[in-house]
Amino acid sequence: MRIGEAAAAAGTTPRALRFYQQRGLLPPPARTASGQREYGPGEIARVRVIRDLLALGLTIEDLRSRADRLHLLAQDPPPRCGSVEPGAPAAGIVGRRLAALDAEIDRLAGLRENLARRASGDD
C-alpha cells in the first residue's frame, strides 16, 4: 500500500512515516517503478509499535538505539522486555525512562505541596 494508505492504517500521517524513516526507526520501504513508497503489513505493525512506545513516554532517541529490535515487538504476543515491577532493578531504556518519570512525579508533587501551602496561607 502507498504511504497515505499505510499512514491511515497505522493511525498516523505520511509525514510521520517519513520522519520515522529519516530517524532510522523504519527501514527504507520498497519503491514502485514510479518511485512511490510501498508499505506492507510488517511496516504497519512496526509503526503501531513505535506510536505505542512514544505514547508511553519513550523518545525517538530511545527507540532509535533499539531500532533493530522494534520488529520483535510487533509479534503476537510480543516478547517480554524484563521486569519493571516496583522495587525490581529495571535496566536499560525502560529503567531510565521509569527513573525520569519518578523524578518528574516527585518534582510535581513538591510543586503541588508548595502551591497548596501558599494558597492556604501556611507560608
Side-chain angles (χ1 to χ4, degrees):
M1 69 183 77
R2 303 245 166 90
I3 192 167
E5 298 165 315
T12 192
T13 65
R15 184 176 179 185
L17 293 185
R18 288 189 291 272
F19 177 77
Y20 298 155
Q21 182 186 344
Q22 290 169 349
R23 296 294 185 254
L25 301 180
L26 280 176
R31 300 273 184 160
T32 65
S34 63
Q36 294 182 323
R37 292 172 170 91
E38 281 285 325
Y39 296 90
E43 289 87 5
I44 303 306
R46 186 176 177 129
V47 170
R48 288 181 180 146
V49 165
I50 291 167
R51 290 179 47 79
D52 288 346
L53 293 172
L54 292 173
L56 288 171
L58 296 176
T59 66
I60 292 290
E61 286 305 312
D62 292 335
L63 300 183
R64 194 171 163 185
S65 70
R66 296 287 188 234
D68 61 325
R69 300 175 137 204
L70 290 175
H71 70 283
L72 298 173
L73 296 175
Q75 296 174 356
D76 189 23
R80 286 188 47 114
C81 294
S83 177
V84 290
E85 294 298 318
I93 294 167
V94 172
R96 287 192 301 275
R97 187 58 52 205
L98 287 171
L101 287 170
D102 288 341
E104 183 67 4
I105 289 167
D106 291 343
R107 185 185 75 77
L108 291 171
L111 284 174
R112 187 196 184 290
E113 288 174 22
N114 287 338
L115 181 59
R117 200 173 27 251
R118 285 183 181 219
S120 68
D122 293 341
D123 199 26

